[in-house]
C-alpha cells in the first residue's frame, strides 16, 4: 500500500477506489459506497488494509453529506464531489459507516496495526477515523 499522508484519501487504494467511483454510472455510485462499507463492517476475520482504506474513503463521503461533515478537498477524492456534486445516499449508510470504522479500529485490523506501528505519540490517522465516527453518529 502506497501511503503519502494520514488523510482518508492519501493512499493508493483509496485513490483508486475514488477513481472507480468517479467513473461509475451515477445510479451505481451509492451501491459502491455501500459495498465498500459492508465489506469492512462484515469482515469476521483479519481485516485487510485495502478493505479498510476503501471503507474509510466511503465513510468520508457519507460523513461529508451530514450536518457538520468534513469538506472533501483532497485532489484524490472523486472529481464529481470536488466539482460540487453530491450523492443521494440512504440514511442507513451513516450507521453502517460507523460500524465499518469500529471494525477498522479493532485489534484484528491490518490498517489499525500499520498505523499504530507507524505513529508516534500522536496519531493523525486515528484522529481522522475518530472524528468521522463522531460526525456519523451525531444526532
Amino acid at each position: 500500500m502506497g501511503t503519502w499522508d494520514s488523510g482518508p484519501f492519501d493512499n493508493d487504494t483509496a485513490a483508486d477506489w475514488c477513481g472507480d467511483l468517479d467513473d461509475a454510472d451515477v445510479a451505481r455510485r451509492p451501491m459502491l459506497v455501500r459495498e465498500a462499507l459492508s465489506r469492512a463492517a462484515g469482515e469476521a476475520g483479519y481485516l485487510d488494509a485495502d478493505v479498510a482504506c476503501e471503507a474509510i474513503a466511503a465513510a468520508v463521503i457519507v460523513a461529508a453529506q451530514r450536518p457538520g461533515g468534513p469538506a472533501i478537498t483532497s485532489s484524490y477524492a472523486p472529481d464529481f464531489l470536488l466539482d460540487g456534486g453530491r450523492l443521494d445516499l440512504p440514511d442507513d449508510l451513516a450507521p453502517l459507516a460507523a460500524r465499518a470504522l469500529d471494525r477498522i479500529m479493532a485489534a484484528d485490523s491490518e490498517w489499525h496495526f500499520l498505523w499504530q506501528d507507524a505513529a508516534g505519540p500522536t496519531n493523525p490517522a486515528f484522529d481522522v477515523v475518530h472524528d468521522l465516527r463522531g460526525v456519523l453518529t451525531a444526532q
Side-chain angles (χ1 to χ4, degrees):
M1 171 176 72
T3 301
W4 48 90
D5 206 347
S6 59
F9 303 112
D10 296 340
N11 60 78
D12 289 335
T13 302
D16 289 346
W17 181 84
C18 287
D20 292 343
L21 185 67
D22 199 47
D23 292 341
D25 181 76
V26 173
R28 185 165 153 67
R29 289 174 178 165
M31 183 178 64
L32 294 174
V33 171
R34 180 179 300 281
E35 288 173 356
L37 296 171
S38 295
R39 274 192 302 275
E43 179 57 58
Y46 193 71
L47 181 66
D48 183 80
D50 287 346
V51 173
C53 289
E54 290 178 359
I56 293 168
V60 171
I61 291 169
V62 173
Q65 297 192 48
R66 295 184 52 85
I72 294 179
T73 59
S74 171
S75 60
Y76 301 101
D79 289 338
F80 75 92
L81 293 174
L82 293 172
D83 293 339
R86 293 184 51 85
L87 286 175
D88 184 20
L89 298 175
D91 291 337
D92 72 320
L93 285 186
L96 176 61
R99 285 194 309 276
L101 295 177
D102 289 344
R103 181 64 186 88
I104 289 164
M105 293 302 292
D108 59 346
S109 162
E110 182 182 24
W111 183 91
H112 183 268
F113 172 78
L114 292 170
W115 276 105
Q116 185 174 13
D117 192 47
T122 61
N123 194 318
F126 284 7
D127 292 344
V128 166
V129 170
H130 290 297
D131 291 347
L132 276 175
R133 193 178 189 296
V135 170
L136 292 165
T137 58
Q139 297 298 327

